[in-house]
Coordinates of all heavy atoms in Angstrom, one line a residue:
M555 N -25.0 23.7 5.6 CA -24.1 22.9 6.5 C -25.0 22.2 7.5 O -25.9 22.8 8.1 CB -23.2 23.9 7.2 CG -22.3 23.3 8.2 SD -21.0 24.4 8.7 CE -21.4 24.6 10.3
T556 N -24.8 20.9 7.6 CA -25.6 20.1 8.6 C -24.9 20.0 9.9 O -23.6 20.0 9.9 CB -25.9 18.7 8.0 OG1 -24.6 18.1 7.8 CG2 -26.7 18.8 6.7
R557 N -25.6 19.9 10.9 CA -25.0 19.7 12.3 C -25.3 18.3 12.8 O -26.4 17.8 12.6 CB -25.6 20.7 13.2 CG -25.1 22.1 13.0 CD -25.5 23.0 14.1 NE -24.7 24.2 14.0 CZ -24.7 25.1 15.0 NH1 -25.2 24.9 16.2 NH2 -24.0 26.2 14.9
D558 N -24.4 17.8 13.5 CA -24.6 16.5 14.1 C -25.3 16.8 15.5 O -25.0 17.7 16.2 CB -23.2 15.8 14.4 CG -23.4 14.4 14.8 OD1 -24.5 13.9 14.9 OD2 -22.3 13.8 15.0
I559 N -26.2 15.9 15.8 CA -27.0 16.1 17.1 C -26.0 16.0 18.3 O -26.3 16.6 19.3 CB -28.1 15.0 17.2 CG1 -29.1 15.4 18.3 CG2 -27.5 13.7 17.4 CD1 -29.9 16.5 18.1
D560 N -24.9 15.3 18.2 CA -23.9 15.2 19.3 C -23.3 16.6 19.5 O -22.8 16.8 20.6 CB -22.8 14.2 19.0 CG -23.4 12.8 18.9 OD1 -24.4 12.6 19.6 OD2 -22.8 11.9 18.3
D561 N -23.3 17.5 18.6 CA -22.7 18.8 18.8 C -23.5 19.6 19.8 O -23.0 20.6 20.3 CB -22.6 19.6 17.4 CG -21.6 19.0 16.5 OD1 -20.7 18.3 17.0 OD2 -21.6 19.3 15.3
L562 N -24.8 19.2 19.9 CA -25.7 20.0 20.8 C -25.6 19.5 22.3 O -26.0 20.2 23.2 CB -27.1 19.9 20.3 CG -27.3 20.3 18.9 CD1 -28.8 20.1 18.5 CD2 -27.0 21.8 18.8
E563 N -25.0 18.3 22.5 CA -24.9 17.8 23.8 C -23.8 18.5 24.6 O -22.7 18.9 24.0 CB -24.5 16.3 23.8 CG -25.5 15.4 23.2 CD -26.7 15.3 24.0 OE1 -26.6 15.2 25.3 OE2 -27.9 15.3 23.5
P564 N -24.0 18.8 25.9 CA -22.9 19.4 26.7 C -21.7 18.5 26.8 O -21.8 17.3 26.9 CB -23.6 19.7 28.0 CG -24.8 18.7 28.1 CD -25.2 18.5 26.7
R565 N -20.6 19.1 26.7 CA -19.3 18.4 26.9 C -19.1 18.0 28.3 O -19.4 18.8 29.2 CB -18.2 19.2 26.3 CG -18.3 19.4 24.8 CD -17.1 20.1 24.3 NE -17.2 20.2 22.9 CZ -16.2 20.7 22.1 NH1 -15.1 21.0 22.6 NH2 -16.4 20.8 20.8
P566 N -18.5 16.9 28.6 CA -18.2 16.5 30.0 C -17.1 17.5 30.5 O -16.3 18.0 29.8 CB -17.7 15.1 29.9 CG -17.3 14.9 28.5 CD -18.1 15.8 27.6
V567 N -17.2 17.7 31.8 CA -16.3 18.5 32.5 C -14.9 17.8 32.6 O -14.9 16.7 33.1 CB -16.7 18.9 33.9 CG1 -15.7 19.7 34.7 CG2 -18.1 19.6 33.9
P568 N -13.8 18.4 32.1 CA -12.5 17.8 32.2 C -12.2 17.5 33.7 O -12.6 18.2 34.6 CB -11.6 18.8 31.6 CG -12.4 19.7 30.8 CD -13.8 19.7 31.4
T569 N -11.4 16.5 33.9 CA -11.0 16.1 35.2 C -10.3 17.2 36.0 O -10.5 17.4 37.2 CB -10.1 14.8 35.2 OG1 -10.8 13.8 34.5 CG2 -9.8 14.3 36.6
A570 N -9.5 18.0 35.3 CA -8.8 19.1 35.9 C -9.7 20.1 36.5 O -9.4 20.8 37.4 CB -7.8 19.7 34.9
K571 N -10.9 20.3 35.9 CA -11.9 21.3 36.4 C -12.9 20.7 37.4 O -13.8 21.4 37.8 CB -12.5 21.9 35.2 CG -11.6 22.8 34.4 CD -12.3 23.5 33.3 CE -11.3 24.3 32.5 NZ -12.0 25.1 31.4
A572 N -12.9 19.4 37.6 CA -13.8 18.8 38.5 C -13.5 19.2 39.9 O -12.4 19.5 40.3 CB -13.7 17.2 38.4
P573 N -14.5 19.3 40.8 CA -14.3 19.7 42.1 C -13.4 18.7 42.8 O -13.4 17.5 42.6 CB -15.7 19.7 42.8 CG -16.6 19.0 41.8 CD -15.9 19.0 40.5
P574 N -12.5 19.2 43.7 CA -11.6 18.3 44.4 C -12.3 17.3 45.3 O -13.3 17.6 45.8 CB -10.7 19.2 45.2 CG -11.4 20.5 45.3 CD -12.3 20.6 44.1
K575 N -11.7 16.1 45.4 CA -12.3 15.1 46.3 C -12.0 15.4 47.7 O -11.0 16.0 48.0 CB -11.8 13.7 45.9 CG -12.3 13.3 44.6 CD -11.9 11.8 44.4 CE -12.5 11.3 43.1 NZ -12.8 9.9 43.1
D576 N -12.9 15.0 48.6 CA -12.6 15.1 50.1 C -11.7 14.0 50.5 O -12.1 12.8 50.6 CB -13.9 15.0 50.8 CG -13.7 15.2 52.3 OD1 -12.6 15.6 52.8 OD2 -14.7 15.1 53.1
L577 N -10.4 14.3 50.6 CA -9.4 13.3 50.9 C -9.5 12.8 52.3 O -9.0 11.7 52.7 CB -8.0 13.8 50.6 CG -7.8 14.3 49.1 CD1 -6.4 14.8 48.9 CD2 -8.1 13.2 48.1
G578 N -10.1 13.6 53.2 CA -10.1 13.3 54.6 C -11.0 12.1 54.9 O -10.8 11.4 55.9
V579 N -11.9 11.7 54.0 CA -12.8 10.6 54.3 C -12.3 9.3 53.6 O -12.9 8.2 53.8 CB -14.2 10.9 53.8 CG1 -14.8 12.0 54.6 CG2 -14.3 11.1 52.3
M580 N -11.2 9.4 52.9 CA -10.6 8.3 52.2 C -9.6 7.5 53.0 O -8.8 8.1 53.8 CB -10.0 8.7 50.9 CG -11.0 9.3 49.9 SD -10.2 10.0 48.4 CE -10.0 8.6 47.5
S581 N -9.6 6.2 52.9 CA -8.6 5.4 53.6 C -7.3 5.4 52.9 O -7.2 6.0 51.8 CB -9.1 3.9 53.7 OG -9.0 3.3 52.4
V582 N -6.3 4.9 53.5 CA -4.9 4.9 52.9 C -5.0 4.1 51.6 O -4.4 4.6 50.6 CB -3.9 4.3 53.9 CG1 -2.5 4.1 53.2 CG2 -3.7 5.2 55.1
E583 N -5.6 3.0 51.6 CA -5.7 2.2 50.4 C -6.5 3.0 49.3 O -6.1 2.9 48.1 CB -6.4 0.9 50.7 CG -5.6 -0.1 51.5 CD -5.7 0.2 53.0 OE1 -6.6 1.0 53.5 OE2 -4.8 -0.2 53.8
E584 N -7.5 3.6 49.7 CA -8.3 4.4 48.7 C -7.5 5.6 48.1 O -7.5 5.9 47.0 CB -9.6 5.0 49.3 CG -10.6 3.9 49.6 CD -11.8 4.5 50.4 OE1 -11.6 5.3 51.3 OE2 -12.9 4.1 50.1
L585 N -6.7 6.2 49.0 CA -5.8 7.3 48.6 C -4.7 6.8 47.6 O -4.4 7.4 46.6 CB -5.2 8.0 49.8 CG -6.1 8.9 50.6 CD1 -5.4 9.2 51.9 CD2 -6.5 10.1 49.8
E586 N -4.2 5.6 47.9 CA -3.1 5.0 47.0 C -3.8 4.7 45.7 O -3.1 4.9 44.6 CB -2.5 3.8 47.7 CG -1.6 4.2 48.8 CD -1.1 3.0 49.6 OE1 -1.6 1.9 49.5 OE2 -0.1 3.2 50.4
T587 N -5.0 4.2 45.7 CA -5.7 3.8 44.4 C -6.0 5.1 43.6 O -5.8 5.2 42.4 CB -7.0 3.1 44.7 OG1 -6.6 1.9 45.4 CG2 -7.7 2.7 43.4
Y588 N -6.4 6.1 44.4 CA -6.7 7.4 43.8 C -5.4 8.0 43.1 O -5.5 8.5 42.0 CB -7.2 8.4 44.8 CG -7.6 9.8 44.4 CD1 -8.5 10.0 43.4 CD2 -7.0 10.9 45.0 CE1 -8.9 11.3 43.0 CE2 -7.3 12.1 44.6 CZ -8.2 12.3 43.6 OH -8.5 13.6 43.2
I589 N -4.3 8.0 43.8 CA -3.0 8.5 43.3 C -2.6 7.7 42.1 O -2.2 8.3 41.1 CB -1.9 8.4 44.4 CG1 -2.2 9.5 45.4 CG2 -0.6 8.6 43.8 CD1 -1.3 9.4 46.7
A590 N -2.8 6.4 42.1 CA -2.4 5.5 40.9 C -3.3 5.9 39.7 O -2.7 6.0 38.6 CB -2.6 4.1 41.3
G591 N -4.5 6.2 39.9 CA -5.4 6.6 38.9 C -5.0 8.0 38.3 O -5.0 8.2 37.1
L592 N -4.6 8.9 39.2 CA -4.1 10.2 38.7 C -2.8 10.1 38.0 O -2.7 10.8 36.9 CB -4.0 11.1 39.9 CG -5.2 11.6 40.7 CD1 -4.9 12.3 41.9 CD2 -6.1 12.4 39.8
E593 N -1.9 9.3 38.4 CA -0.7 9.1 37.7 C -0.9 8.5 36.4 O -0.2 8.9 35.4 CB 0.3 8.2 38.6 CG 0.8 9.0 39.8 CD 1.6 8.1 40.7 OE1 1.5 6.9 40.7 OE2 2.4 8.7 41.5
A594 N -1.8 7.5 36.3 CA -2.1 6.9 35.0 C -2.7 8.0 34.0 O -2.4 8.0 32.8 CB -3.1 5.8 35.1
E595 N -3.5 8.9 34.5 CA -4.1 9.9 33.7 C -3.0 10.9 33.3 O -3.1 11.4 32.2 CB -5.2 10.7 34.5 CG -6.0 11.7 33.7 CD -6.8 11.1 32.5 OE1 -6.9 9.8 32.4 OE2 -7.2 11.8 31.7
I596 N -2.1 11.2 34.2 CA -1.0 12.1 33.8 C -0.1 11.5 32.7 O 0.2 12.1 31.7 CB -0.1 12.4 35.1 CG1 -0.9 13.3 36.0 CG2 1.2 13.0 34.7 CD1 -0.2 13.4 37.4
D597 N 0.1 10.2 32.8 CA 0.9 9.5 31.8 C 0.1 9.5 30.4 O 0.7 9.7 29.4 CB 1.1 8.0 32.2 CG 2.1 7.9 33.3 OD1 2.9 8.8 33.5 OD2 2.1 6.8 33.9
R598 N -1.2 9.4 30.5 CA -2.0 9.4 29.3 C -2.0 10.8 28.7 O -1.8 11.0 27.4 CB -3.5 9.0 29.6 CG -4.3 8.8 28.4 CD -5.7 8.2 28.9 NE -6.5 9.3 29.4 CZ -7.4 10.0 28.7 NH1 -7.5 9.8 27.4 NH2 -8.2 10.9 29.2
A599 N -2.0 11.8 29.5 CA -2.0 13.2 29.0 C -0.6 13.5 28.4 O -0.5 14.2 27.3 CB -2.3 14.2 30.1
R600 N 0.5 13.0 29.0 CA 1.8 13.2 28.5 C 2.0 12.5 27.2 O 2.6 13.1 26.3 CB 2.9 12.8 29.5 CG 3.0 13.7 30.7 CD 4.1 13.4 31.6 NE 4.3 14.4 32.6 CZ 4.6 14.2 33.8 NH1 4.8 13.0 34.3 NH2 4.7 15.2 34.7
A601 N 1.4 11.3 27.0 CA 1.5 10.6 25.8 C 0.7 11.4 24.7 O 1.2 11.5 23.5 CB 0.9 9.2 25.9
A602 N -0.4 12.0 25.0 CA -1.2 12.8 24.0 C -0.4 14.0 23.6 O -0.3 14.4 22.4 CB -2.5 13.2 24.6
I603 N 0.3 14.6 24.6 CA 1.1 15.8 24.3 C 2.3 15.4 23.3 O 2.5 16.1 22.3 CB 1.7 16.4 25.6 CG1 0.6 17.1 26.3 CG2 2.8 17.4 25.2 CD1 1.0 17.6 27.7
A604 N 2.9 14.3 23.6 CA 4.0 13.8 22.8 C 3.5 13.5 21.4 O 4.2 13.9 20.4 CB 4.7 12.6 23.4
G605 N 2.4 12.9 21.3 CA 1.8 12.6 19.9 C 1.5 13.9 19.2 O 1.8 14.0 18.0
K606 N 0.9 14.9 19.8 CA 0.6 16.1 19.2 C 1.9 16.9 18.8 O 1.9 17.5 17.7 CB -0.3 17.0 20.1 CG -1.7 16.4 20.2 CD -2.5 17.3 21.2 CE -3.9 16.6 21.3 NZ -4.9 17.5 20.9
Q607 N 2.9 16.8 19.6 CA 4.1 17.5 19.3 C 4.8 16.8 18.1 O 5.3 17.5 17.2 CB 5.1 17.5 20.5 CG 4.7 18.5 21.5 CD 5.5 18.4 22.8 OE1 6.1 17.3 23.1 NE2 5.5 19.5 23.6
A608 N 4.7 15.5 18.0 CA 5.3 14.8 16.9 C 4.5 15.1 15.6 O 5.1 15.3 14.5 CB 5.3 13.3 17.2
H609 N 3.2 15.1 15.7 CA 2.4 15.5 14.6 C 2.7 16.9 14.1 O 2.8 17.1 12.9 CB 0.9 15.3 14.9 CG 0.0 15.5 13.8 ND1 -0.6 16.7 13.6 CD2 -0.4 14.7 12.8 CE1 -1.4 16.6 12.5 NE2 -1.3 15.4 12.0
R610 N 2.8 17.8 15.0 CA 3.1 19.2 14.6 C 4.5 19.3 14.0 O 4.7 20.0 13.0 CB 3.1 20.1 15.9 CG 3.3 21.5 15.6 CD 3.2 22.3 16.8 NE 3.1 23.7 16.5 CZ 2.9 24.7 17.4 NH1 2.7 24.4 18.6 NH2 2.9 25.9 17.0
S611 N 5.5 18.6 14.5 CA 6.8 18.6 13.9 C 6.8 18.0 12.5 O 7.5 18.6 11.6 CB 7.8 17.8 14.8 OG 8.0 18.5 16.1
A612 N 6.1 17.0 12.3 CA 6.0 16.4 11.0 C 5.3 17.3 10.0 O 5.8 17.4 8.9 CB 5.3 15.0 11.1
A613 N 4.3 18.0 10.5 CA 3.6 18.9 9.6 C 4.5 20.1 9.3 O 4.6 20.6 8.1 CB 2.3 19.4 10.3
E614 N 5.2 20.6 10.3 CA 6.1 21.7 10.0 C 7.3 21.3 9.1 O 7.6 22.1 8.2 CB 6.7 22.2 11.3 CG 5.7 23.0 12.2 CD 6.3 23.4 13.5 OE1 7.4 22.9 13.9 OE2 5.6 24.2 14.2
A615 N 7.8 20.1 9.2 CA 8.8 19.6 8.3 C 8.3 19.5 6.9 O 9.0 19.8 5.9 CB 9.4 18.3 8.8
F616 N 7.1 19.0 6.8 CA 6.4 18.8 5.4 C 6.2 20.1 4.7 O 6.4 20.2 3.5 CB 5.1 18.0 5.6 CG 4.5 17.7 4.3 CD1 4.9 16.7 3.5 CD2 3.4 18.5 3.9 CE1 4.3 16.5 2.3 CE2 2.7 18.2 2.7 CZ 3.2 17.2 1.9
F617 N 5.7 21.1 5.5 CA 5.4 22.4 4.8 C 6.5 23.4 4.9 O 6.3 24.5 4.4 CB 4.1 22.9 5.5 CG 2.9 22.2 5.2 CD1 2.3 21.3 6.1 CD2 2.3 22.2 3.9 CE1 1.2 20.6 5.8 CE2 1.2 21.5 3.6 CZ 0.6 20.7 4.6
K618 N 7.6 23.0 5.4 CA 8.8 23.9 5.4 C 9.2 24.3 4.0 O 9.4 23.4 3.2 CB 9.9 23.3 6.2 CG 11.0 24.3 6.5 CD 12.1 23.6 7.4 CE 13.1 24.6 7.8 NZ 14.1 24.0 8.6
R619 N 9.4 25.6 3.8 CA 9.9 26.0 2.5 C 11.4 25.9 2.4 O 12.1 26.2 3.3 CB 9.4 27.4 2.2 CG 8.0 27.5 2.1 CD 7.5 28.9 1.8 NE 6.1 29.0 1.9 CZ 5.4 29.6 0.9 NH1 5.9 30.1 -0.1 NH2 4.1 29.6 1.1
P620 N 11.9 25.5 1.2 CA 13.3 25.3 1.0 C 14.1 26.7 1.0 O 13.6 27.7 0.9 CB 13.5 24.7 -0.3 CG 12.2 24.7 -1.0 CD 11.1 25.1 0.0

């Protein structure tokens, strides 16, 4: 079995596990931009969940025994 060199690279830390930002030093505009970015990431995560659930449902329907 061969290994890809990319398998040896450390994986990036997911955003959810990144240390929290210091919100006290951010301006109102920076906070609004930060929130917009977080909401976009939440939407992206929800879309990924929906896609995985649809894929799982399709697989379960395909392999369901009569």
Side-chain angles (χ1 to χ4, degrees):
M555 180 166 111
T556 61
R557 287 192 168 194
D558 189 2
I559 192 73
D560 293 333
D561 292 339
L562 303 175
E563 293 292 321
R565 293 184 179 188
V567 176
T569 306
K571 292 184 180 180
K575 291 189 176 210
D576 183 6
L577 303 179
V579 298
M580 297 174 80
S581 69
V582 172
E583 292 80 18
E584 289 173 323
L585 287 168
E586 289 173 346
T587 301
Y588 179 61
I589 289 170
L592 292 173
E593 288 172 340
E595 187 64 13
I596 290 168
D597 289 342
R598 192 173 77 89
R600 287 189 173 139
I603 289 169
K606 289 177 183 244
Q607 288 173 334
H609 185 261
R610 183 179 193 173
S611 294
E614 287 175 350
F616 181 78
F617 290 107
K618 188 175 185 179
R619 294 183 186 229

